[in-house]
Amino acid sequence: MTDEEYIKMALDEAVKGTGRVSPNPLVGAVIVKDGKVIAKGYHHYCGGLHAERDALKNCTEDVRGAVMYVTLEPCCHTGRQPPCTDAIIESGIKSVVVGSGDPNPLVAGKGSRILREHGIEVKEYVLEKECKEVNEIFFHYITTGKPFVTMKYAMTADGKIATKCGLSKWITGEEARKNVHKDRNRYTAIMAGIGTVLADDPMLNCRTEGGRDPIRIICDTRLKMPLDSNIVKTAKDVHTIICTGISENEKLGPYSEAGCEIISVPEKDGHIDIDKMMLSLGSIGIDSILLEGGGTLNWSVLKAGYVSKVQAYIAPKIFGGSAKSPVEGEGVEKPSDCFELYDSVIKRFGDDIMIESRVRMCSQGS
């Protein structure tokens, strides 16, 4: 097998930690000796063994002289776990093949250098693109300190997210909705606006077998969320954050007593200041957000420059009329001012399709 094939095997290990390692990276490792795979490992959960140490733990043969394939540059600092470089050096591994570098300033080339200084051969950047894609959330968060945001919405073929009466269940079919719940497991948090809560009274949880519920973030400038809403009633069971412009303790008290975490955010133009909110969320370890807001919140986060990806689920249906669209707000003035989407990938879920794209900021965005 080639180096690329072994790194692909390590990537298959890495993704097993999806939804469990935040805000750490997804990492997989494979140990090969004399052309035989003698161990595999991955980072199971935040605070647990890193992939390299997990693979070494799983090995029942002598690893001296073996090759380790790892999707991310081995760490060389002490955090929740000791340096992986120490474990590799002590093990007698003769060479390490690395998928991508680690942009964390505490590592950033130092891990590979330390291995080389101890006589271990290091080959870097094997399937680098694929390894970076697996950790796009980590790379974004570690370099900006702000959450990676994917804006997701479901709409009809004529661009409606509800009927003229405001009904939206269901626009897409069961297969598409299952995929959404897989992403809810993947992202640390899910964000919605108060309009969505008032209209749908959602749970915003993950209904995938073996999945975990994302942290629920509700943007509620005026604190209008009913105390008997599903979100508030289950706040002691599912981590729930309310971002609001209200700071009076007597108003916040009932929500705190119900189990909600309150983040008071200054207002800007009559709404929550998106920049201040994202900085606050990043500071408490929220590395990724699946944005399932209504059109107003979607526009605000998009315009503020925080949307990295868009997932547009499109159902083969037409509602017509003056129903709401996925992104509202004031919009742009000229076609050339658009938010440009690129690197689009199209996936099919039953009769529905999903277009996933990266976002290029328009000249009107901040």
Side-chain angles (χ1 to χ4, degrees):
M1 292 177 65
T2 65
D3 288 345
E4 287 77 11
E5 288 172 316
Y6 286 125
I7 287 291
K8 177 62 172 62
M9 189 180 297
L11 281 170
D12 290 340
E13 290 296 305
V15 297
K16 292 178 181 178
T18 298
R20 308 291 178 183
V21 304
S22 170
N24 288 347
L26 292 164
V27 186
V30 173
I31 301 175
V32 178
K33 187 173 183 180
D34 299 326
K36 174 187 174 184
V37 174
I38 60 173
K40 299 178 183 178
Y42 68 97
H43 187 31
H44 290 244
Y45 59 92
C46 183
L49 289 176
H50 290 184
E52 299 92 326
R53 288 180 178 272
D54 188 49
L56 289 168
K57 174 182 70 69
N58 294 334
C59 194
T60 57
E61 300 184 28
D62 185 358
V63 301
R64 285 176 294 181
V67 180
M68 175 178 283
Y69 293 84
V70 62
T71 57
L72 187 72
E73 178 184 2
C75 68
C76 54
H77 65 288
T78 299
R80 294 182 179 89
Q81 290 287 327
C84 288
T85 49
D86 288 357
I88 294 170
I89 292 166
E90 293 165 5
S91 72
I93 292 281
K94 74 170 183 179
S95 63
V96 177
V97 178
V98 177
S100 72
D102 187 340
N104 185 340
L106 295 174
V107 185
K110 300 182 187 73
S112 294
R113 187 185 71 232
I114 288 171
L115 294 177
R116 290 188 175 108
E117 288 173 350
H118 284 80
I120 297 173
E121 179 185 351
V122 179
K123 180 179 179 180
E124 296 178 288
Y125 314 125
V126 176
L127 293 188
E128 181 183 21
K129 180 176 181 290
E130 291 83 348
C131 291
K132 284 185 173 180
E133 286 176 353
V134 164
N135 275 313
E136 62 181 352
I137 288 172
F138 171 74
F139 281 25
H140 177 90
Y141 180 67
I142 201 68
T143 55
T144 68
K146 300 173 185 177
F148 181 99
V149 179
T150 292
M151 181 170 71
K152 167 263 167 187
Y153 53 81
M155 67 180 186
T156 60
D158 59 335
K160 308 300 184 183
I161 61 172
T163 68
K164 65 179 182 180
C165 299
L167 302 178
S168 59
K169 294 182 180 179
W170 297 104
I171 290 176
T172 54
E174 185 176 351
E175 288 186 39
R177 298 199 299 275
K178 283 183 179 178
N179 192 64
V180 170
H181 284 281
K182 288 181 181 178
D183 276 336
R184 287 183 179 182
N185 174 63
R186 177 188 177 201
Y187 285 78
T188 298
I190 182 171
M191 178 180 286
I194 183 59
T196 298
V197 175
L198 294 176
D200 300 334
D201 194 21
M203 282 290 292
L204 300 179
N205 57 358
C206 174
R207 295 188 285 277
T208 296
E209 185 177 353
R212 44 155 285 282
D213 289 329
I215 297 170
R216 302 181 301 196
I217 303 171
I218 308 300
C219 298
D220 188 0
T221 306
R222 302 282 175 245
L223 205 58
K224 295 179 179 179
M225 186 157 56
L227 290 169
D228 63 352
S229 65
N230 283 323
I231 295 291
V232 176
K233 287 191 298 184
T234 57
K236 289 184 178 178
D237 300 317
V238 182
H239 189 174
T240 301
I241 298 173
I242 301 175
C243 295
T244 181
I246 300 297
S247 58
E248 294 88 344
N249 288 332
E250 63 273 15
K251 294 183 179 179
L252 299 175
Y255 295 93
S256 296
E257 291 173 7
C260 299
E261 179 180 352
I262 307 295
I263 296 181
S264 293
V265 182
E267 292 186 31
K268 182 178 180 181
D269 300 326
H271 298 283
I272 289 172
D273 188 318
I274 300 297
D275 288 307
K276 296 289 195 303
M277 178 180 69
M278 290 298 181
L279 285 170
S280 294
L281 294 173
S283 71
I284 61 173
I286 306 292
D287 66 344
S288 59
I289 294 172
L290 187 63
L291 175 61
E292 296 194 23
T296 300
L297 179 60
N298 284 350
W299 169 258
S300 296
V301 179
L302 181 66
K303 185 174 185 294
Y306 287 96
V307 177
S308 294
K309 273 187 174 180
V310 172
Q311 290 180 340
Y313 288 83
I314 306 172
K317 302 174 182 177
I318 293 176
F319 286 172
S322 57
K324 293 185 176 182
S325 64
V327 182
E328 296 182 340
E330 67 267 31
V332 301
E333 292 184 0
K334 303 188 298 291
S336 58
D337 291 336
C338 71
F339 291 84
E340 191 174 350
L341 306 183
Y342 66 102
D343 281 352
S344 296
V345 176
I346 300 174
K347 300 177 183 179
R348 179 176 290 278
F349 300 96
D351 291 331
D352 307 312
I353 64 170
M354 188 265 279
I355 305 176
E356 183 176 73
S357 310
R358 297 185 182 277
V359 180
R360 183 174 292 120
M361 285 298 297
C362 76
S363 60
Q364 301 300 306
S366 58

